[in-house]
Amino acid sequence: MRFYPGDPDHQPLGHVGRVPVFAATIISALFVVGMVLTVMLETAGGPLHLFAFSTDDFYRHGWLWQPFTCVFINAPNFFFLFSVIFFYWSSVEIEQYLGRRVFLTLYALLLVALVSALGLWQLAGTPGGFAGMGEITIGMFIAYTTLYPNLEYFGWIPLKYVAFACLAISALSYFPTHDWPGLSVLLAICGTAFGYTRYKKLGGSLEIPAVARNLNPFRRRPKFRVLPSPERPDPSSATDSSPGQSVDAILDKIAQKGFASLSQSERDQLERAREILNKKRQ
């Protein structure tokens, strides 16, 4: 895990024994409590529908608490504990990286995306409902992947490919039942998670792709000038004058890609620099 000792917003709220407690820890615990209460209400025949999200109840009757309570209604099954652990793992990393306020804002935006997606179906004449933590967990995983896209899973699979595969498989599960509102909720949550996390990762600036910039008809086109070809310095003289400066780029390449990525000329230049340094030491 990543800790920022100088900023309390990135630190845990406290500790239970040796276990740090974050805002994500509290939400994960509430998922477990919600599952237990769900079983108790279903067993007693209680009004569980009051806490599940319904577009009719929310938009027509003003039951504003439903978006906050619907994600805690979960049935007990074999994979529930793994879902909670997965949510906790992704969310704690996000909270430590971006801070508690940004994490809670992200969590709220995912709920807004859920309500907005089903609200559009309500306007189209298709009322719907929602309950469960599955889509929220996937959204947090997408946000975590946005922070560490090239983190290798199992030592060789970049995390961004794992996230794409998981999202594609999750989306396919809606097709047999023609649950298009549910699919729209999943896509809205994942899109919001990616967009907001990417925005915060860039320091609160919007990243406009080069394709979008090229579509602007009013953009200033760069003017090109033909410059004379610069004289190429002698590699041996550059190495002799400043061996440390000439091999910096080669050393950086070795650190990033390994010694095997060097060409033969780069290896020769590195060997010449080594010989010069050995002579100076003698």
Side-chain angles (χ1 to χ4, degrees):
M1 294 183 178
R2 183 186 299 268
F3 291 91
Y4 294 83
D7 190 351
D9 195 46
H10 298 264
Q11 291 183 345
L13 294 168
H15 290 79
V16 177
R18 295 167 54 188
V19 179
V21 177
F22 295 89
T25 310
I26 299 175
I27 296 176
S28 301
L30 290 177
F31 283 133
V32 178
V33 174
M35 183 272 294
V36 175
L37 295 178
T38 299
V39 174
M40 295 175 62
L41 285 175
E42 286 186 330
T43 303
L48 192 61
H49 67 281
L50 295 177
F51 305 100
F53 180 79
S54 170
T55 53
D56 281 335
D57 294 335
F58 180 80
Y59 288 106
R60 294 184 178 181
H61 301 99
W63 293 6
L64 302 180
W65 64 86
Q66 288 186 340
F68 301 97
T69 58
C70 67
V71 294
F72 298 107
I73 299 177
N74 295 280
N77 55 59
F78 181 80
F79 296 101
F80 172 75
L81 182 60
F82 294 99
S83 298
V84 174
I85 295 175
F86 203 60
F87 174 88
Y88 170 80
W89 169 66
S90 302
S91 300
V92 167
E93 290 292 335
I94 297 170
E95 186 173 346
Q96 290 181 99
Y97 189 103
L98 298 176
R100 186 173 302 109
R101 286 172 294 181
V102 174
F103 165 72
L104 293 176
T105 302
L106 171 63
Y107 181 80
L109 288 176
L110 299 187
L111 298 181
V112 171
L114 184 160
V115 173
S116 302
L118 292 180
L120 294 177
W121 285 98
Q122 177 77 7
L123 292 176
T126 306
F130 182 88
M133 61 175 295
E135 286 77 4
I136 297 295
T137 300
I138 296 174
M140 286 298 177
F141 179 62
I142 295 298
Y144 173 71
T145 305
T146 306
L147 295 178
Y148 304 103
N150 295 316
L151 180 66
E152 293 185 349
Y153 229 53
F154 305 112
W156 62 281
I157 305 178
L159 193 60
K160 56 187 176 183
Y161 298 133
V162 177
F164 178 79
C166 293
L167 178 59
I169 294 174
S170 300
L172 290 176
S173 64
Y174 294 91
F175 281 76
T177 57
H178 301 117
D179 185 9
W180 311 129
L183 177 61
S184 66
V185 169
L186 174 67
L187 297 180
I189 287 178
C190 292
T192 302
F194 172 79
Y196 183 71
T197 306
R198 182 69 177 173
Y199 173 76
K200 285 299 181 180
K201 184 180 179 181
L202 294 174
S205 62
L206 295 177
E207 184 182 58
I208 303 177
V211 176
R213 289 196 299 266
N214 293 333
L215 295 177
N216 181 13
F218 303 103
R219 72 184 189 278
R220 296 182 61 182
R221 300 180 180 274
K223 296 181 180 181
F224 296 97
R225 294 186 306 166
V226 179
L227 299 176
S229 300
E231 297 182 359
R232 296 183 177 180
D234 187 4
S236 59
S237 61
T239 303
D240 294 339
S241 60
S242 181
Q245 182 179 0
S246 61
V247 299
D248 283 344
I250 299 177
L251 295 177
D252 290 339
K253 187 175 182 181
I254 294 175
Q256 295 176 3
K257 301 181 181 180
F259 186 81
S261 62
L262 299 182
S263 63
Q264 187 59 43
S265 60
E266 291 172 333
R267 296 184 183 185
D268 295 340
Q269 185 176 353
L270 190 63
E271 180 64 23
R272 288 195 299 269
R274 186 185 67 82
E275 293 177 355
I276 293 174
L277 292 176
N278 288 336
K279 290 179 180 179
K280 291 183 177 180
R281 291 174 183 174
Q282 294 176 356

